[in-house]
Structure formats: C-alpha cells, structure tokens
Amino acid sequence: MRRSPVMRIEDLDTPFLAVDAGVLERNLTDGADRARRRGLAWRPHAKTHKCVAVARRQLAHGATGLTLATVGEAEVFAAAGVDDLFLAYPVWAAGGRADRLRALAGRVRLRIGVDSAAGADRLAAALRGAPAQVLIEIDSGHHRTGVAPGDAGGLAAGAQAAGLEVAGVFTFPGHAYAPGARATAAADEIAALSAAAAGLAAAGIEPLVRSGGSSPTENLSPELPDRWAPTETRPGVSVFGDAQQVELDAAGFDRCALTAVATVVHARPGHAVLDAGSKTLGADRAPWASGHGRLPEHPGARVTALSEHHATVAFGDGDGPVPEPGSRVRVLPNHVCTAVNLADHLVVVDGGETVVDRWPVDARGANT
Amino acid sequence: MRRSPVMRIEDLDTPFLAVDAGVLERNLTDGADRARRRGLAWRPHAKTHKCVAVARRQLAHGATGLTLATVGEAEVFAAAGVDDLFLAYPVWAAGGRADRLRALAGRVRLRIGVDSAAGADRLAAALRGAPAQVLIEIDSGHHRTGVAPGDAGGLAAGAQAAGLEVAGVFTFPGHAYAPGARATAAADEIAALSAAAAGLAAAGIEPLVRSGGSSPTENLSPELPDRWAPTETRPGVSVFGDAQQVELDAAGFDRCALTAVATVVHARPGHAVLDAGSKTLGADRAPWASGHGRLPEHPGARVTALSEHHATVAFGDGDGPVPEPGSRVRVLPNHVCTAVNLADHLVVVDGGETVVDRWPVDARGANT
C-alpha cells in the first residue's frame, strides 16, 4: 500500500525507535521455525515489544500464546483479544491485583507462576476457583526467583492442596547473559526442568508443561532428556535483537530489527555526541558489555558515555570520518526491552527510509 | 483537605513511585534559599520531575523559570503557562524541530544552548529573527558537549554575526558525579564560566548570564571570582533526591522525597526479591554506585541485581530480619530523573501512608 505523500524517516524529529519491517518478518519466521524444529510450543515474551501489532504477527506465525511479566501487561493483550497468556512471574496476588487476576482468569486461558507456598496460598485465595493453571518456577542457575529443582514436587503438592491446578514447571536461564555462558546455561535449563518435572511426577502431578527459553539459549539444542524434555520456549528479545545479543554472539547486526535513530549534536576528533541518551536507549549496561550501545553502520564504534539526552560515541579506526553535526546515525540499544518501554510508539520502516506504519507501545509502563 | 474515603498507599498495586509532600516542600524551600544566599537566580531543571505540578511549586518558591533538555519538554511546560524557559542543550535546529523552536520562541521567553558554529548557523536559520537568546555551552571538565572556555568568545562572536542574540554562557559540571569530586568540580565550573565570560567580554559581548549548577555542587560555595561570578544555578535532582546523591554525600536519606514502593515476591536467607525492577527504577548504575538502589528503612541493604521486574536485595547484618513475601518496602532509585520518566504519574503522600494527590508526569518521554 502506497501512502501519499510518502513519509520518510528524515521527516521525523530525532530521537525515535525504528523497526525494520523486513528484518522483523525474518526474525518472526525464524523464531517460529526454531521452536517447530525442536518440537516446542512457541510462546514469545511480549515484554520485549509490548505492541499488539507485533503480538498479532507472532500469533499469525504460530505462537501458541504470549508470555508476560505483569498482570498489567496481560490486561493489555487480553483486551486486544489475545486469549492464551502465561504470567512467568511469582505474582503476589494481594489487594487490587487479586481482583484483577481473577477477572483475567475469567476472560483468557491463563497460567501463572508460583515459587513459594505463601504465594500459592495467596493465589488460591485470589482466584476463588476461577480457572487458571499454575507453573512452578525453578531456579536453573540464575538465582533470582524460583525454587531448587528438588523442591518443585513438594511445592507443587502444596499448591494443589491449596486448590490450584498445577500444570508443570518453568524456568528462565538468565545466567546465559554472560560471555561464553550460553551453552552451559542451556544445559542447566534443560536439566533443571527435567529434574523438577520428575519431582512433580513423583508427587503424583503430571508435569504437562516444561517451559524454558531465553534469546541467548533458544538457538542451542543440547541433548534432550528422554522423558521430561522441554515442551515450550519463551524467547523475548530475539524478535528485535539488541547490542547484548550481538555481544553474546546470539545474533548478528543483520538480525537486529530495532534501532534508535539519533542526530549528531556535537563532534570532535574521534568522537560524536548524539541526542539519544538513556531516556531513549535505556541505561542497561552489563559488566561485560563493551559500552552503552552499538552502531550497526560503524561496528568499531562504542557508546562510551550516556546521559539522559547525550550518547558519547568513540569511533574506531575502521569507522571512517566522524559524522558531522546534523548527521543521523542508528544506535542499537544494549537491551531492547527497556528501550521499547521508554517509547510511546515504534516507527516502522520498510527497506530503509520509508515510514510504513507507527505501532503504539500498548503495554508501555504496565508494571503492576 | 480530607478526602472521603481516604486512600492509602496500601490500596494501590505495586510498584509505583511515591512523593512525600513534606520532604518535597522542605527541598523546595531549601533549594530556593540556597540560591538566594549565593545571589543566584534559581532555574531548576524540570527534566527531573517532568511534572507541571512540581514546576508550579518551584515557581511559587521563587524560581525565575525552568531549565529543560528538549524542545518537547519545553513545549509541555509552555503549554502549561510557564513563560521563561532555557534549553540547556546544543539543540540541532533542523526539520520539524526548527519550526517547533520558532513557534516556542514566539510564545515564551526562550534561551537556547549553542556549542558549535554549525549549530549557531542552523539555529539562526530556524529562528528567522524570532526572539530568543543564546547561551554558549562551556566544557568545565565533564567532556560531554560544550567548547573550551577559551573558545567561547570566538563562538559567541560568530553566533552574533549569524544573527543570534548572545546573552552569556552556561556549563554543567557533570564530573561532580564521582566520589570526592564535588568540590573540584564546583571550582572548575566557576573558573570555566568566569574565563568564558571574560572571553565574551573581550569579543565585545556582555556576558550577562553565567549559568551553572548541578545537585552535587549546589551546596558548595567556592570563592567566587570578582567580576564574572555565576548568576544562575540549575539543579535538577535535588528536588527529589536519589541514591546517587546519598552515596555522593550530597543529600541524606531524609532529603529524598521520592521512593518506589515495591512488594517482596520472594525471600530467602539474607535476600528478598522485589517487584520493582529496571522498568520502575531505571537501570542507571555508575561504576562507583554500591548497587542498583537503596532502601531508606534498611541502610545496610543493597540492590545487588536488577532485571525488568525483579530487584534482588541483599540485607546487611544491622537490617533486621528479611521482609517476608507480601511485605512492602521502599526503594530509592539510583537516578531519580530516569525513574520518573518511566512513570505515568507520581503518587503524592502526606506524612506516611495517606495518598493526597496524583501528579501526571506531563513531559514523560518528551525526548525530541
């Protein structure tokens, strides 16, 4: 469909986040294929994009549903008609959130994470029999939330006794986010899910769902255990890609669909300062990251300092001349999920400079 | 004014940002007093709060106007009736932004930063004679944007020749944001402004405005130069305070007006995990910061890991028992400006638990 007049990204004031529709389409196709090849249900984490427009494309490509982190995010996607949602979080179901969870359970097919007996009791009291399934969260090595695999059976039995329907186990192998850690984390993830599932089975609970996955590990296929292999994968970031995935060797620049478009406001020998700062890119910087973001057109460049509306870029020897003030450059955020959460909409471009759509970030700020 | 029924913060689902109205009022009074005692115009940076409600209180306490970083922020406050604005940024006045700047100049008393000849030419072309003043940005040691003090006179003369009205100089001593650096940065700031102002005078341009200031340096009063002492201070963060100011010894916990209210969702020996992550607190973490945030009620605790909806807190020996799941705790973000920019509104509380107002974060996301 041709618009008249055609809008080009040069017509938009910087900074803004641009999504290359072609790269996104390729990421969606490949994400669905990867899950299919491994025999896994594909339930992408919508925290990354927070866009109904992207969720619809994921579902059209075969996603079985969405993963969310908060009740607020789930409410946004439920209102848009997505009817199969997993809250991969040990939700504390008190106060207004208890009522909101119960309403959600009456509206969509809902799964909810549990990682403590107190949380399970609270959730059972909140749901009051409303139809929802529970997955027990397992710590596979990230040491954030979740129980040890050996404790899953006991917690599952307790949750069932509290009146909850326990459908299986899940984990997030977040310790894959370190150089060289992907393969080990992928193996840990599968071993933890398998051990926890065996624990549920020993407690007389069929662990139908064994859900794992992260963008750094989804490309890896360690040998699967015979009986309790994963059934589901929940990658988030890989729909867009970001500088962290590039630096972890989990994606190339060519698989990064989203960049911040910025203007050079200051230049000096070897350096430029851009108008996209931490309020556009997000301030995430892992200890192993080489800087605060990457420039796909200048692979040797690094964002060496970031403030709210300034990104200081040091250019490498192979990067050619420093762009002059007024030039536009594209920056890959370190962590795309937090960058998207700063924007009201994403500018969709097709094959370069032409703006083909604007997608609202529907669940931006939906933290509760 | 009593509301019926009285809303309490326990009625609100976490996480959210709460402002203690009493602490804010004290910070406003003290901020105005500090500037007055030093004989400085007080032009607080509204990037910190982005709230018209807070700006009105600053003006009522004697602020001469506001400082902003982006044209988008300035548009929000101009629309709310604030009529004296300084864009402390080397704005690149091209495309739609040129038209927006010209419209703004026709509507409010406007000052704009310039740090390059190209930027000055572009700005002059954008304004087309619309009434605005220009301040030359000086690098006083932060090495972000700005020119060396010795280059200010030449740049000012060029800007004037391009048709701009040059009213003086400004700097941001951002290198104060490091342990033990505050006093040196405050001295650098004053020396740089003085030298740059002398350069303007030598070029035949009266440097009426010498604008500096940052929250870490505003409490300090180095010996002022005789002739070209600062005339204006632009603190941002100190209206609310944050963990960075505490760790730089620029403010105590008792001067921190804004905290994130979070729920414990997971507890284990020595540790709790909260539902306020980087999408609530922001991910800013300076190399010298002791963690990702502080807990005013648990001074020994540190936020040792942060993901989007999880803050992992390690409690110290003197912090008492780890709060149980379901407990609420308050967290000071490391950098309040980026935390506020994540929220749609701030919950205003008075003397503890009673909610007395909700202030929209009017300029949230106004990055262009």
Side-chain angles (χ1 to χ4, degrees), chain A residues 13-15 47 89 92 97 100 115 143-144 266 268 275 279 307-309 326 335 344 364 367, chain B residues 13-15 47 89 92 97 100 115 143-144 266 268 275 279 307-309 326 335 344 364 367:
Chain A
D13 289 348
T14 59
K47 75 185 172 90
Y89 194 88
W92 189 258
R97 184 151 39 214
R100 294 163 55 208
D115 86 337
H143 306 324
R144 189 174 65 180
H266 175 101
R268 56 180 180 264
D275 64 358
K279 283 178 174 169
S307 41
E308 288 156 67
H309 298 281
H335 185 191
D344 290 324
R364 193 204 57 71
N367 293 325
Chain B
D13 289 348
T14 59
K47 75 186 173 92
Y89 194 89
W92 189 258
R97 184 151 40 216
R100 293 162 58 208
D115 87 337
H143 307 324
R144 189 173 66 180
H266 175 101
R268 56 181 180 263
D275 63 359
K279 283 178 174 169
S307 41
E308 288 155 67
H309 299 281
H335 185 192
D344 290 324
R364 193 204 57 71
N367 293 324

Side-chain angles (χ1 to χ4, degrees), chain A residues 284-306:
Chain A
D284 292 62
R285 182 178 178 173
W288 45 263
S290 70
H292 295 274
R294 296 290 294 268
L295 280 62
E297 278 80 34
H298 303 274
R302 294 295 183 278
V303 179
T304 54
L306 196 67

Side-chain angles (χ1 to χ4, degrees), chain A residues 9 14-16 259-265 272-276 294-298 303 311 313 315 321-324 326-332:
Chain A
I9 59 170
T14 59
F16 58 88
T259 47
V261 180
T263 298
V264 175
V265 298
V273 180
L274 316 179
D275 64 358
R294 296 290 294 268
L295 280 62
E297 278 80 34
H298 303 274
V303 179
V313 181
F315 288 85
V322 171
E324 294 190 352
S327 310
R328 290 193 169 197
V329 298
R330 299 195 307 138
V331 186
L332 267 182

Side-chain angles (χ1 to χ4, degrees), chain B residues 24-294:
Chain B
L24 171 63
E25 182 62 27
R26 190 153 68 117
N27 289 350
L28 290 167
T29 301
D30 289 0
D33 282 351
R34 264 196 303 274
R36 201 174 296 120
R37 278 198 308 274
R38 296 178 65 198
L40 300 176
W42 182 46
R43 187 184 286 276
H45 208 313
K47 75 186 173 92
T48 299
H49 55 74
K50 289 178 172 274
C51 291
V52 170
V54 178
R56 293 209 170 115
R57 280 163 176 77
Q58 290 175 322
L59 294 164
H61 276 80
T64 57
L66 298 179
T67 305
L68 294 317
T70 71
V71 179
E73 287 179 342
E75 287 168 336
V76 169
F77 289 97
V82 185
D83 62 0
D84 193 332
L85 304 176
F86 172 35
L87 281 165
Y89 194 89
V91 178
W92 189 258
R97 184 151 40 216
D99 301 330
R100 293 162 58 208
L101 261 177
R102 188 167 55 251
L104 200 57
R107 185 170 185 180
V108 300
R109 181 162 186 255
L110 185 65
R111 288 180 182 151
I112 307 168
V114 160
D115 87 337
S116 69
D121 290 345
R122 181 65 68 156
L123 182 59
L127 288 174
R128 295 188 214 149
Q133 292 182 327
V134 156
L135 300 190
I136 305 297
E137 184 174 5
I138 313 302
D139 178 5
S140 54
H142 186 34
H143 307 324
R144 189 173 66 180
T145 45
V147 296
D151 294 335
L155 177 56
Q160 196 176 61
L164 296 169
E165 179 188 347
V166 179
V169 294
F170 80 104
T171 194
F172 171 63
H175 56 312
Y177 278 86
R182 291 168 59 214
T184 305
D188 289 347
E189 170 189 9
I190 286 172
L193 286 176
S194 177
L200 263 64
I205 298 168
E206 181 75 6
L208 290 170
V209 180
R210 284 94 66 188
S211 175
S214 70
S215 293
T217 60
E218 68 170 331
N219 270 313
L220 306 173
S221 295
E223 195 177 334
L224 298 180
D226 286 341
R227 184 151 185 206
W228 302 123
T231 62
E232 178 175 276
T233 183
R234 309 187 315 274
V237 171
S238 54
V239 69
F240 285 150
D242 59 21
Q244 287 189 161
Q245 302 298 320
V246 169
E247 298 203 339
L248 291 171
D249 286 325
F253 283 127
D254 62 325
R255 308 315 294 261
C256 293
L258 184 146
T259 46
V261 180
T263 298
V264 175
V265 297
H266 175 101
R268 56 181 180 263
H271 294 78
V273 179
L274 316 178
D275 63 359
S278 62
K279 283 178 174 169
T280 298
L281 299 170
D284 292 62
R285 183 179 178 173
W288 45 263
S290 71
H292 295 273
R294 296 289 294 268

Side-chain angles (χ1 to χ4, degrees), chain A residues 333-360:
Chain A
N334 272 348
H335 185 191
V336 74
C337 307
T338 52
V340 167
N341 186 52
L342 291 161
D344 290 324
H345 61 262
L346 306 179
V347 175
V348 188
V349 298
D350 201 0
E353 303 290 308
T354 306
V355 176
V356 294
D357 213 339
R358 279 163 85 96
W359 291 336

